[in-house]
Amino acid sequence: MPNAKIPTVPTKSLDKSFDEHIRDDFNERILFSAPFGAGKSTFLKNYFDQQDDIIVLKLFPVNYSIAQNQDVFELIKYDLLYELLSKYPKEIQLEQEQYSCLLMSQMFLLHRMKIDLPLKLILKAAGTVTGTPIPEQETIDGITNLIGEFSEFKGKMNTSEWTQLNKYIQSFKNKTGHVHESDDITELIVDMLERVKIAKNGDDDQRKITTVLLIDDLDRLDPEHVFRLFNVFSAHYDEVTESNKFGFDKIIFVCDINNVQQMFAHRYGISVEFNGYIDKFYSSEVFNFDISQYLKDSLKALLMARHQLKKFFPDGLNQTYEDRFRLDKHDGFYSFLSYVITGLIDSQQIRIRNFQRFQYFALPNRQFKHRHREWHVLYYPLLVLVNTLERFFSRQAELENALKFLYENYSADYRLVTILERNRSDYDDQAHTLISYCLPFLLDPIQIFEAGFTREMEYTVEFKNEHRNSLYILYTVKESFESNYTWVNFLRCSLSGELTDGKNENPAVYKPNPFWFLYKAYKNIKANRYI
């Protein structure tokens, strides 16, 4: 059975923000920026699918990367024609043009009739009215000579500077692949766009239809092609008329501006002003697309769409573990899982593409071994967490790098609580839980997996934090007699291991880094092949 499609859970604030940006009349050029894999294309597709007053034609610059500049202009016209004909065939209605009777009459009189026939008819009618015959031939000859003189005068006037300038301009307009070209195909594209707008408007003259040219994934190309194509597309904007080529109301460039800036610095040097180059591609400001809030708001729905808890338990799952790990509860494992995933989203390590890769949430049905003993992974929530996180990434190394980035960007605080005023709102329950779940895979395995501990005893062990400074972990070891496994109860971290009457009475550290513990635990789990 195929997996259900991951649902799109709309975030009104995100839609509204972009809607206000694109509908600003001043924003004729828009630079839509977000990191690779952030869901730019998905968001834009969903947004435009809901807008019946916006006509969107999309280009993919990767198709132009190997073409010469003059060929790019022609390829763009080809793609625009294809987009128009595939999306709006009914609105365009390609057929042989029908000419009005008036227009055909004008053409007939101008190109098919001789001047003497209508003049004879007019003179004959005039003689009938006056009662005096008018000499037809003499009058016709005079008028004909006058027309000839006019034609000669007109011919001289047509060789004026204006005609020469007009001929010069037309030569550029008809030159294929030129920045100023405006040949028959270009004019046809403009006309077809106008037809679609008229068809969309219907009988509502007050309705405003907006045409948009969407240029996607500019930064996917090699740096040498990126700026060449940027320059090609910049030529589609006329600074004099302040209009976009082909008559589009708006042009949207989709890329990651930070990535483009790095390419720019690599190609031209860090001393060259980037803002002066890039600001001609947007009218007011860069629209920075932030998908993180969308993912966090939609997290539960996105996970539940892949909820297959008992996928690997065909014979059923113990109710204790089903209740412990099910995600439709607001507390328990979901809170713990969402705490870590939210951290990865905020640090841009999990994006919409990672959710597309995530196929299911299912509990692993396997054992892990230490020496000669085995335990089920469900005894240890951290193993379930790690197993779940790995499904968001293509390789274990990617997850390890993501956790490394997470701990490096966490704002830890190793001052002592006695120095600071602390209240309940400062306390991070999930950080405490995460450290507790990590400790079985950071402490001496003999103590944890071979019952080398004393019940109810408070232990202190030295541990290096992310700055390689000494930190002391205070904990106790508990035992589940029903399932015959041990677990760790984390108490606190301190900066001293000094004991008083066998106990560590030193004050706690204010905010240790839970993701450093997670990173180190994950490396040990991989090294020992616990998953």
Side-chain angles (χ1 to χ4, degrees), residues 55-107:
I55 300 167
V56 182
L57 301 185
K58 191 172 183 180
L59 299 180
F60 298 93
V62 68
N63 298 334
Y64 315 140
S65 60
I66 61 173
Q68 298 296 323
N69 285 3
Q70 63 181 18
D71 296 330
V72 171
F73 286 101
E74 297 303 304
L75 289 170
I76 289 173
K77 289 191 287 187
Y78 174 88
D79 285 348
L80 289 178
L81 284 172
Y82 181 84
E83 284 274 288
L84 280 165
L85 293 173
S86 61
K87 287 184 176 180
Y88 306 105
K90 293 181 180 179
E91 291 85 348
I92 292 171
Q93 294 183 343
L94 278 180
E95 59 185 23
Q96 185 175 357
E97 295 292 341
Q98 299 297 317
Y99 293 94
S100 68
C101 290
L102 177 60
L103 179 59
M104 286 190 290
S105 300
Q106 291 173 330
M107 293 174 67

Side-chain angles (χ1 to χ4, degrees), residues 193-238:
L193 266 177
E194 190 61 29
R195 290 188 214 176
V196 177
K197 290 179 75 171
I198 293 172
K200 288 279 187 182
N201 260 335
D203 298 328
D204 188 356
D205 295 334
Q206 302 300 317
R207 189 183 187 207
K208 181 181 179 182
I209 300 296
T210 302
T211 55
V212 174
L213 176 61
L214 181 64
I215 303 169
D216 202 1
D217 292 332
L218 268 168
D219 57 340
R220 284 198 182 189
L221 306 173
D222 292 335
E224 62 181 289
H225 297 306
V226 169
F227 300 106
R228 184 172 65 87
L229 291 178
F230 257 126
N231 293 333
V232 168
F233 288 121
S234 70
H236 278 230
Y237 182 76
D238 192 327

Side-chain angles (χ1 to χ4, degrees), residues 418-454:
T418 53
I419 301 175
L420 304 169
E421 182 179 352
R422 184 173 190 170
N423 54 51
R424 182 61 187 172
S425 63
D426 295 329
Y427 187 72
D428 192 340
D429 289 316
Q430 293 303 328
H432 188 94
T433 300
L434 178 55
I435 294 174
S436 289
Y437 287 164
C438 290
L439 287 181
F441 306 98
L442 295 172
L443 301 173
D444 184 357
I446 294 177
Q447 184 184 57
I448 304 302
F449 298 123
E450 297 183 26
F453 65 92
T454 302

Side-chain angles (χ1 to χ4, degrees), residues 281-440:
F281 297 102
Y282 57 90
S283 300
S284 59
E285 61 182 355
V286 175
F287 184 86
N288 289 298
F289 175 66
D290 184 6
I291 196 67
S292 59
Q293 191 59 49
Y294 164 88
L295 291 177
K296 290 188 290 186
D297 292 344
S298 310
L299 180 57
K300 190 151 198 174
L302 293 170
L303 291 175
M304 289 303 298
R306 293 290 190 261
H307 195 270
Q308 301 178 39
L309 193 71
K310 296 183 283 187
K311 178 181 176 70
F312 300 114
F313 290 86
D315 299 326
L317 177 66
N318 185 293
Q319 190 64 42
T320 299
Y321 298 107
E322 183 173 348
D323 292 339
R324 177 183 294 178
F325 292 108
R326 57 191 293 182
L327 297 182
D328 55 356
K329 297 170 64 178
H330 290 288
D331 55 358
F333 188 74
Y334 172 74
S335 297
F336 169 61
L337 177 64
S338 65
Y339 174 77
V340 178
I341 293 179
T342 296
L344 289 167
I345 292 172
D346 284 335
S347 60
Q348 301 290 320
Q349 300 306 298
I350 283 185
R351 300 168 181 162
I352 193 69
R353 291 186 187 273
N354 299 91
F355 278 95
Q356 292 170 345
R357 184 177 290 114
F358 183 74
Q359 294 297 305
Y360 51 80
F361 171 75
L363 296 180
N365 188 6
R366 68 182 75 160
Q367 311 280 329
F368 75 93
K369 179 184 290 188
H370 176 76
R371 292 192 176 180
H372 304 295
R373 296 189 62 185
E374 290 185 346
W375 295 266
H376 201 285
V377 296
L378 297 187
Y379 296 163
Y380 295 94
L382 186 72
L383 296 180
V384 177
L385 170 74
V386 165
N387 181 265
T388 302
L389 292 178
E390 285 186 342
R391 295 197 182 104
F392 283 92
F393 299 88
S394 58
R395 298 178 297 116
Q396 287 184 329
E398 288 185 9
L399 173 56
E400 183 176 324
N401 289 334
L403 296 178
K404 182 175 185 291
F405 187 90
L406 190 56
Y407 89 70
E408 287 177 341
N409 290 273
Y410 181 82
S411 298
D413 189 340
Y414 288 101
R415 291 177 294 175
L416 299 176
V417 174
T418 53
I419 301 175
L420 304 169
E421 182 179 352
R422 184 173 190 170
N423 54 51
R424 182 61 187 172
S425 63
D426 295 329
Y427 187 72
D428 192 340
D429 289 316
Q430 293 303 328
H432 188 94
T433 300
L434 178 55
I435 294 174
S436 289
Y437 287 164
C438 290
L439 287 181

Side-chain angles (χ1 to χ4, degrees), residues 184-202:
D184 292 342
I185 297 300
T186 300
E187 292 179 2
L188 178 61
I189 292 171
V190 174
D191 179 65
M192 290 166 70
L193 266 177
E194 190 61 29
R195 290 188 214 176
V196 177
K197 290 179 75 171
I198 293 172
K200 288 279 187 182
N201 260 335

